[in-house]
Short mmCIF file of all heavy atoms in Angstrom, two decimals:
data_model
loop_
_atom_site.label_atom_id
_atom_site.label_comp_id
_atom_site.label_asym_id
_atom_site.label_seq_id
_atom_site.Cartn_x
_atom_site.Cartn_y
_atom_site.Cartn_z
N MET A 1 -8.89 -9.62 11.65
CA MET A 1 -9.24 -11.03 11.61
C MET A 1 -8.91 -11.62 10.24
O MET A 1 -8.51 -12.75 10.15
CB MET A 1 -10.72 -11.19 11.95
CG MET A 1 -11.16 -12.62 12.02
SD MET A 1 -10.46 -13.39 13.47
CE MET A 1 -11.20 -14.97 13.38
N THR A 2 -9.09 -10.84 9.19
CA THR A 2 -8.83 -11.34 7.84
C THR A 2 -7.35 -11.70 7.67
O THR A 2 -7.04 -12.70 7.05
CB THR A 2 -9.24 -10.29 6.80
OG1 THR A 2 -10.60 -9.97 7.01
CG2 THR A 2 -9.05 -10.82 5.40
N GLY A 3 -6.47 -10.86 8.22
CA GLY A 3 -5.04 -11.14 8.13
C GLY A 3 -4.68 -12.46 8.79
O GLY A 3 -3.83 -13.20 8.30
N LEU A 4 -5.33 -12.74 9.90
CA LEU A 4 -5.09 -14.00 10.60
C LEU A 4 -5.56 -15.18 9.77
O LEU A 4 -4.88 -16.21 9.69
CB LEU A 4 -5.79 -13.99 11.96
CG LEU A 4 -5.51 -15.16 12.89
CD1 LEU A 4 -4.03 -15.29 13.17
CD2 LEU A 4 -6.28 -14.98 14.18
N LEU A 5 -6.70 -15.04 9.10
CA LEU A 5 -7.20 -16.11 8.25
C LEU A 5 -6.27 -16.35 7.06
O LEU A 5 -6.05 -17.49 6.67
CB LEU A 5 -8.61 -15.78 7.75
CG LEU A 5 -9.72 -15.80 8.80
CD1 LEU A 5 -11.03 -15.33 8.18
CD2 LEU A 5 -9.86 -17.18 9.39
N VAL A 6 -5.72 -15.28 6.52
CA VAL A 6 -4.77 -15.43 5.42
C VAL A 6 -3.54 -16.17 5.90
O VAL A 6 -3.03 -17.06 5.22
CB VAL A 6 -4.38 -14.05 4.84
CG1 VAL A 6 -3.22 -14.17 3.87
CG2 VAL A 6 -5.58 -13.42 4.14
N ALA A 7 -3.04 -15.83 7.08
CA ALA A 7 -1.86 -16.50 7.62
C ALA A 7 -2.14 -17.99 7.85
O ALA A 7 -1.27 -18.83 7.59
CB ALA A 7 -1.44 -15.83 8.92
N TRP A 8 -3.32 -18.33 8.33
CA TRP A 8 -3.66 -19.74 8.53
C TRP A 8 -3.77 -20.46 7.19
O TRP A 8 -3.41 -21.63 7.06
CB TRP A 8 -4.96 -19.89 9.28
CG TRP A 8 -4.87 -19.60 10.74
CD1 TRP A 8 -3.75 -19.63 11.52
CD2 TRP A 8 -5.95 -19.25 11.61
NE1 TRP A 8 -4.06 -19.30 12.80
CE2 TRP A 8 -5.40 -19.08 12.89
CE3 TRP A 8 -7.30 -19.07 11.41
CZ2 TRP A 8 -6.17 -18.72 13.98
CZ3 TRP A 8 -8.07 -18.72 12.50
CH2 TRP A 8 -7.51 -18.55 13.77
N HIS A 9 -4.26 -19.79 6.19
CA HIS A 9 -4.44 -20.40 4.88
C HIS A 9 -3.08 -20.77 4.25
O HIS A 9 -3.01 -21.70 3.47
CB HIS A 9 -5.19 -19.44 3.95
CG HIS A 9 -5.32 -19.94 2.55
ND1 HIS A 9 -6.12 -21.00 2.21
CD2 HIS A 9 -4.73 -19.53 1.41
CE1 HIS A 9 -6.02 -21.23 0.92
NE2 HIS A 9 -5.19 -20.35 0.41
N LEU A 10 -2.04 -20.05 4.61
CA LEU A 10 -0.72 -20.31 4.02
C LEU A 10 -0.13 -21.63 4.49
O LEU A 10 0.79 -22.14 3.88
CB LEU A 10 0.24 -19.16 4.35
CG LEU A 10 -0.12 -17.83 3.70
CD1 LEU A 10 0.83 -16.75 4.19
CD2 LEU A 10 -0.10 -17.92 2.20
N GLY A 11 -0.62 -22.19 5.56
CA GLY A 11 -0.16 -23.50 6.00
C GLY A 11 1.10 -23.42 6.84
O GLY A 11 1.35 -22.45 7.54
N ALA A 12 1.91 -24.47 6.74
CA ALA A 12 3.08 -24.62 7.59
C ALA A 12 4.30 -23.94 6.99
O ALA A 12 5.26 -24.59 6.56
CB ALA A 12 3.35 -26.09 7.85
N LEU A 13 4.28 -22.65 6.93
CA LEU A 13 5.44 -21.90 6.47
C LEU A 13 6.21 -21.37 7.68
O LEU A 13 5.64 -21.14 8.74
CB LEU A 13 5.02 -20.71 5.60
CG LEU A 13 4.35 -21.01 4.27
CD1 LEU A 13 3.92 -19.70 3.61
CD2 LEU A 13 5.27 -21.77 3.35
N HIS A 14 7.47 -21.16 7.49
CA HIS A 14 8.29 -20.50 8.50
C HIS A 14 7.77 -19.06 8.64
O HIS A 14 7.30 -18.48 7.66
CB HIS A 14 9.75 -20.52 8.04
CG HIS A 14 10.70 -20.05 9.07
ND1 HIS A 14 11.01 -18.71 9.23
CD2 HIS A 14 11.42 -20.71 10.01
CE1 HIS A 14 11.88 -18.58 10.21
NE2 HIS A 14 12.13 -19.78 10.71
N PRO A 15 7.82 -18.47 9.83
CA PRO A 15 7.32 -17.10 9.99
C PRO A 15 7.95 -16.10 9.01
O PRO A 15 7.27 -15.20 8.52
CB PRO A 15 7.66 -16.76 11.44
CG PRO A 15 7.66 -18.07 12.13
CD PRO A 15 8.19 -19.06 11.12
N ALA A 16 9.22 -16.26 8.72
CA ALA A 16 9.87 -15.36 7.76
C ALA A 16 9.29 -15.56 6.36
O ALA A 16 9.15 -14.59 5.61
CB ALA A 16 11.38 -15.61 7.75
N GLU A 17 8.94 -16.78 6.03
CA GLU A 17 8.32 -17.05 4.72
C GLU A 17 6.93 -16.44 4.64
O GLU A 17 6.52 -15.94 3.58
CB GLU A 17 8.25 -18.55 4.46
CG GLU A 17 9.60 -19.20 4.29
CD GLU A 17 9.52 -20.71 4.20
OE1 GLU A 17 8.66 -21.30 4.89
OE2 GLU A 17 10.32 -21.29 3.45
N LYS A 18 6.19 -16.47 5.75
CA LYS A 18 4.86 -15.85 5.77
C LYS A 18 4.97 -14.35 5.54
O LYS A 18 4.22 -13.78 4.77
CB LYS A 18 4.16 -16.12 7.10
CG LYS A 18 3.66 -17.53 7.24
CD LYS A 18 2.94 -17.70 8.55
CE LYS A 18 2.52 -19.13 8.74
NZ LYS A 18 1.81 -19.36 10.00
N VAL A 19 5.93 -13.72 6.23
CA VAL A 19 6.13 -12.28 6.08
C VAL A 19 6.51 -11.95 4.65
O VAL A 19 5.97 -11.01 4.05
CB VAL A 19 7.19 -11.77 7.07
CG1 VAL A 19 7.59 -10.33 6.77
CG2 VAL A 19 6.69 -11.89 8.50
N LEU A 20 7.41 -12.71 4.06
CA LEU A 20 7.84 -12.47 2.69
C LEU A 20 6.69 -12.66 1.71
O LEU A 20 6.50 -11.86 0.79
CB LEU A 20 9.00 -13.41 2.32
CG LEU A 20 9.56 -13.26 0.91
CD1 LEU A 20 10.11 -11.85 0.70
CD2 LEU A 20 10.63 -14.30 0.66
N THR A 21 5.89 -13.69 1.92
CA THR A 21 4.75 -13.94 1.03
C THR A 21 3.73 -12.80 1.11
O THR A 21 3.24 -12.33 0.08
CB THR A 21 4.07 -15.27 1.41
OG1 THR A 21 5.03 -16.32 1.31
CG2 THR A 21 2.91 -15.56 0.50
N LEU A 22 3.43 -12.35 2.32
CA LEU A 22 2.48 -11.24 2.47
C LEU A 22 3.05 -9.95 1.91
O LEU A 22 2.33 -9.16 1.31
CB LEU A 22 2.10 -11.08 3.94
CG LEU A 22 1.27 -12.23 4.52
CD1 LEU A 22 1.09 -12.05 6.03
CD2 LEU A 22 -0.07 -12.33 3.83
N ALA A 23 4.36 -9.73 2.07
CA ALA A 23 4.99 -8.53 1.52
C ALA A 23 4.95 -8.54 0.00
O ALA A 23 4.69 -7.51 -0.64
CB ALA A 23 6.43 -8.42 2.01
N LEU A 24 5.18 -9.69 -0.59
CA LEU A 24 5.12 -9.79 -2.06
C LEU A 24 3.69 -9.65 -2.56
O LEU A 24 3.47 -9.15 -3.66
CB LEU A 24 5.71 -11.13 -2.52
CG LEU A 24 7.23 -11.25 -2.41
CD1 LEU A 24 7.67 -12.67 -2.73
CD2 LEU A 24 7.92 -10.26 -3.31
N ALA A 25 2.72 -10.09 -1.78
CA ALA A 25 1.33 -10.01 -2.21
C ALA A 25 0.77 -8.59 -2.08
O ALA A 25 0.07 -8.12 -2.98
CB ALA A 25 0.48 -10.98 -1.38
N PHE A 26 1.07 -7.91 -0.98
CA PHE A 26 0.47 -6.61 -0.72
C PHE A 26 1.42 -5.43 -0.90
O PHE A 26 0.97 -4.29 -1.00
CB PHE A 26 -0.13 -6.58 0.69
CG PHE A 26 -1.22 -7.58 0.88
CD1 PHE A 26 -1.02 -8.71 1.66
CD2 PHE A 26 -2.44 -7.41 0.26
CE1 PHE A 26 -2.02 -9.65 1.83
CE2 PHE A 26 -3.46 -8.35 0.42
CZ PHE A 26 -3.24 -9.46 1.21
N GLY A 27 2.70 -5.68 -0.94
CA GLY A 27 3.70 -4.62 -1.06
C GLY A 27 3.53 -3.73 -2.28
O GLY A 27 3.57 -2.50 -2.15
N PRO A 28 3.34 -4.29 -3.47
CA PRO A 28 3.18 -3.43 -4.65
C PRO A 28 1.99 -2.49 -4.55
O PRO A 28 2.06 -1.34 -4.98
CB PRO A 28 2.99 -4.43 -5.79
CG PRO A 28 3.67 -5.67 -5.33
CD PRO A 28 3.45 -5.70 -3.84
N PHE A 29 0.90 -2.95 -3.94
CA PHE A 29 -0.28 -2.09 -3.80
C PHE A 29 -0.02 -0.97 -2.80
O PHE A 29 -0.44 0.17 -2.99
CB PHE A 29 -1.49 -2.91 -3.37
CG PHE A 29 -1.88 -3.94 -4.39
CD1 PHE A 29 -1.63 -5.28 -4.18
CD2 PHE A 29 -2.48 -3.55 -5.59
CE1 PHE A 29 -1.98 -6.23 -5.13
CE2 PHE A 29 -2.83 -4.49 -6.54
CZ PHE A 29 -2.57 -5.83 -6.32
N LEU A 30 0.70 -1.29 -1.72
CA LEU A 30 1.04 -0.26 -0.74
C LEU A 30 2.01 0.76 -1.34
O LEU A 30 1.89 1.96 -1.10
CB LEU A 30 1.64 -0.90 0.51
CG LEU A 30 0.71 -1.80 1.31
CD1 LEU A 30 1.46 -2.50 2.44
CD2 LEU A 30 -0.46 -1.01 1.85
N LEU A 31 2.96 0.28 -2.13
CA LEU A 31 3.90 1.18 -2.80
C LEU A 31 3.17 2.08 -3.79
O LEU A 31 3.43 3.30 -3.84
CB LEU A 31 4.99 0.38 -3.51
CG LEU A 31 6.05 1.19 -4.25
CD1 LEU A 31 6.83 2.06 -3.28
CD2 LEU A 31 6.97 0.27 -5.01
N LEU A 32 2.26 1.53 -4.56
CA LEU A 32 1.49 2.33 -5.50
C LEU A 32 0.66 3.38 -4.77
O LEU A 32 0.60 4.54 -5.21
CB LEU A 32 0.58 1.42 -6.33
CG LEU A 32 -0.32 2.12 -7.35
CD1 LEU A 32 0.51 2.86 -8.39
CD2 LEU A 32 -1.24 1.11 -8.02
N ALA A 33 0.03 3.02 -3.68
CA ALA A 33 -0.76 3.98 -2.90
C ALA A 33 0.13 5.10 -2.37
O ALA A 33 -0.26 6.28 -2.40
CB ALA A 33 -1.46 3.26 -1.75
N ALA A 34 1.33 4.77 -1.92
CA ALA A 34 2.25 5.79 -1.42
C ALA A 34 2.68 6.74 -2.54
O ALA A 34 2.75 7.96 -2.34
CB ALA A 34 3.47 5.13 -0.77
N VAL A 35 2.97 6.21 -3.72
CA VAL A 35 3.38 7.04 -4.85
C VAL A 35 2.25 7.97 -5.26
O VAL A 35 2.46 9.16 -5.50
CB VAL A 35 3.83 6.16 -6.04
CG1 VAL A 35 3.98 6.98 -7.31
CG2 VAL A 35 5.13 5.45 -5.70
N ILE A 36 1.04 7.47 -5.32
CA ILE A 36 -0.12 8.31 -5.68
C ILE A 36 -0.31 9.40 -4.64
O ILE A 36 -0.54 10.57 -4.98
CB ILE A 36 -1.38 7.44 -5.83
CG1 ILE A 36 -1.26 6.56 -7.06
CG2 ILE A 36 -2.63 8.30 -5.89
CD1 ILE A 36 -2.35 5.52 -7.18
N TRP A 37 -0.21 9.07 -3.38
CA TRP A 37 -0.37 10.04 -2.30
C TRP A 37 0.67 11.16 -2.40
O TRP A 37 0.33 12.35 -2.31
CB TRP A 37 -0.30 9.33 -0.96
CG TRP A 37 -0.45 10.22 0.23
CD1 TRP A 37 -1.59 10.86 0.63
CD2 TRP A 37 0.55 10.58 1.16
NE1 TRP A 37 -1.34 11.59 1.76
CE2 TRP A 37 -0.03 11.43 2.12
CE3 TRP A 37 1.90 10.25 1.29
CZ2 TRP A 37 0.69 11.96 3.17
CZ3 TRP A 37 2.60 10.78 2.35
CH2 TRP A 37 2.00 11.63 3.27
N VAL A 38 1.94 10.79 -2.61
CA VAL A 38 3.01 11.78 -2.71
C VAL A 38 2.82 12.68 -3.93
O VAL A 38 2.96 13.90 -3.85
CB VAL A 38 4.40 11.09 -2.75
CG1 VAL A 38 5.50 12.06 -3.15
CG2 VAL A 38 4.70 10.47 -1.39
N ARG A 39 2.49 12.08 -5.08
CA ARG A 39 2.29 12.88 -6.29
C ARG A 39 1.12 13.84 -6.16
O ARG A 39 1.18 14.97 -6.63
CB ARG A 39 2.08 11.97 -7.51
CG ARG A 39 3.33 11.24 -7.94
CD ARG A 39 4.42 12.18 -8.36
NE ARG A 39 3.94 13.00 -9.46
CZ ARG A 39 4.50 14.14 -9.84
NH1 ARG A 39 5.55 14.60 -9.23
NH2 ARG A 39 3.99 14.82 -10.83
N ARG A 40 0.04 13.41 -5.53
CA ARG A 40 -1.11 14.31 -5.33
C ARG A 40 -0.75 15.47 -4.43
O ARG A 40 -1.18 16.60 -4.66
CB ARG A 40 -2.30 13.55 -4.75
CG ARG A 40 -2.98 12.68 -5.77
CD ARG A 40 -4.24 12.07 -5.21
NE ARG A 40 -4.90 11.27 -6.23
CZ ARG A 40 -5.98 10.55 -6.01
NH1 ARG A 40 -6.53 10.53 -4.82
NH2 ARG A 40 -6.52 9.86 -6.99
N ARG A 41 0.06 15.22 -3.41
CA ARG A 41 0.52 16.31 -2.54
C ARG A 41 1.39 17.28 -3.31
O ARG A 41 1.26 18.49 -3.15
CB ARG A 41 1.29 15.75 -1.35
CG ARG A 41 0.39 15.07 -0.32
CD ARG A 41 1.15 14.63 0.89
NE ARG A 41 1.69 15.80 1.56
CZ ARG A 41 2.75 15.77 2.35
NH1 ARG A 41 3.39 14.66 2.57
NH2 ARG A 41 3.18 16.86 2.94
N GLN A 42 2.29 16.77 -4.16
CA GLN A 42 3.15 17.63 -4.97
C GLN A 42 2.32 18.45 -5.95
O GLN A 42 2.57 19.65 -6.12
CB GLN A 42 4.19 16.80 -5.72
CG GLN A 42 5.25 16.22 -4.83
CD GLN A 42 6.20 15.30 -5.60
OE1 GLN A 42 5.92 14.92 -6.72
NE2 GLN A 42 7.29 14.93 -4.96
N ASP A 43 1.35 17.83 -6.59
CA ASP A 43 0.50 18.55 -7.53
C ASP A 43 -0.32 19.62 -6.83
O ASP A 43 -0.52 20.71 -7.37
CB ASP A 43 -0.42 17.59 -8.26
CG ASP A 43 0.32 16.68 -9.24
OD1 ASP A 43 1.48 16.99 -9.57
OD2 ASP A 43 -0.27 15.67 -9.66
N ALA A 44 -0.79 19.33 -5.63
CA ALA A 44 -1.58 20.31 -4.88
C ALA A 44 -0.72 21.51 -4.49
O ALA A 44 -1.20 22.64 -4.48
CB ALA A 44 -2.18 19.66 -3.64
N ARG A 45 0.54 21.28 -4.19
CA ARG A 45 1.44 22.39 -3.84
C ARG A 45 1.76 23.25 -5.06
O ARG A 45 1.94 24.45 -4.93
CB ARG A 45 2.73 21.86 -3.24
CG ARG A 45 2.68 21.81 -1.74
CD ARG A 45 4.04 21.53 -1.16
NE ARG A 45 4.03 20.12 -0.78
CZ ARG A 45 5.00 19.27 -1.02
NH1 ARG A 45 6.08 19.65 -1.64
NH2 ARG A 45 4.90 18.02 -0.65
N GLU A 46 1.85 22.63 -6.22
CA GLU A 46 2.19 23.37 -7.44
C GLU A 46 1.03 24.22 -7.95
O GLU A 46 1.26 25.24 -8.58
CB GLU A 46 2.63 22.40 -8.53
CG GLU A 46 3.96 21.76 -8.25
CD GLU A 46 4.31 20.69 -9.28
OE1 GLU A 46 3.52 20.48 -10.21
OE2 GLU A 46 5.37 20.08 -9.13
N GLU A 47 -0.20 23.83 -7.68
CA GLU A 47 -1.38 24.55 -8.15
C GLU A 47 -2.27 24.95 -6.97
O GLU A 47 -3.36 24.41 -6.81
CB GLU A 47 -2.16 23.69 -9.14
CG GLU A 47 -1.36 23.29 -10.36
CD GLU A 47 -2.12 22.35 -11.26
OE1 GLU A 47 -3.32 22.13 -11.01
OE2 GLU A 47 -1.53 21.83 -12.19
N PRO A 48 -1.85 25.93 -6.19
CA PRO A 48 -2.64 26.28 -4.99
C PRO A 48 -3.94 27.04 -5.31
O PRO A 48 -4.84 27.06 -4.50
CB PRO A 48 -1.69 27.16 -4.19
CG PRO A 48 -0.79 27.75 -5.20
CD PRO A 48 -0.63 26.70 -6.29
N ASP A 49 -4.05 27.65 -6.50
CA ASP A 49 -5.24 28.43 -6.81
C ASP A 49 -6.41 27.57 -7.31
O ASP A 49 -7.51 28.07 -7.47
CB ASP A 49 -4.93 29.51 -7.84
CG ASP A 49 -4.29 28.94 -9.10
OD1 ASP A 49 -3.77 27.81 -9.05
OD2 ASP A 49 -4.32 29.63 -10.13
N GLN A 50 -6.19 26.29 -7.53
CA GLN A 50 -7.25 25.39 -7.99
C GLN A 50 -7.99 24.82 -6.78
O GLN A 50 -7.37 24.37 -5.82
CB GLN A 50 -6.65 24.24 -8.79
CG GLN A 50 -5.92 24.69 -10.01
CD GLN A 50 -6.63 24.24 -11.27
OE1 GLN A 50 -7.46 23.38 -11.20
NE2 GLN A 50 -6.28 24.84 -12.39
N PRO A 51 -9.32 24.80 -6.79
CA PRO A 51 -10.07 24.19 -5.68
C PRO A 51 -9.90 22.67 -5.69
O PRO A 51 -9.76 22.06 -6.74
CB PRO A 51 -11.51 24.57 -5.95
CG PRO A 51 -11.56 24.83 -7.43
CD PRO A 51 -10.19 25.35 -7.81
N GLU A 52 -9.89 22.09 -4.48
CA GLU A 52 -9.74 20.64 -4.37
C GLU A 52 -11.06 19.97 -4.72
O GLU A 52 -12.13 20.51 -4.52
CB GLU A 52 -9.33 20.24 -2.96
CG GLU A 52 -7.93 20.69 -2.65
CD GLU A 52 -7.43 20.04 -1.37
OE1 GLU A 52 -7.87 18.92 -1.07
OE2 GLU A 52 -6.61 20.65 -0.70
N ARG A 53 -10.95 18.74 -5.25
CA ARG A 53 -12.14 17.97 -5.64
C ARG A 53 -12.73 17.27 -4.46
O ARG A 53 -12.20 16.78 -3.61
CB ARG A 53 -11.77 16.93 -6.68
CG ARG A 53 -11.31 17.56 -7.95
CD ARG A 53 -11.03 16.47 -8.94
NE ARG A 53 -9.74 16.77 -9.56
CZ ARG A 53 -9.09 15.94 -10.32
NH1 ARG A 53 -9.56 14.75 -10.54
NH2 ARG A 53 -7.96 16.27 -10.87
#
C-alpha cells in the first residue's frame, strides 16, 4: 500500500518517469544491500571455522 501512496504522491508523471524516479530513489539502497549480502557470503566461505553471529 505504501508503494501505491508514493506513486500517487508523484502526481501526473508518465509511467516510465515514475519507474525511473522510484529506481533512482530506492536503487542505491537495493544495490548496497546486494553488495553487503554478497560480501558477507564471501567472507563466510573464507572463514568456515568461525561461528556465525
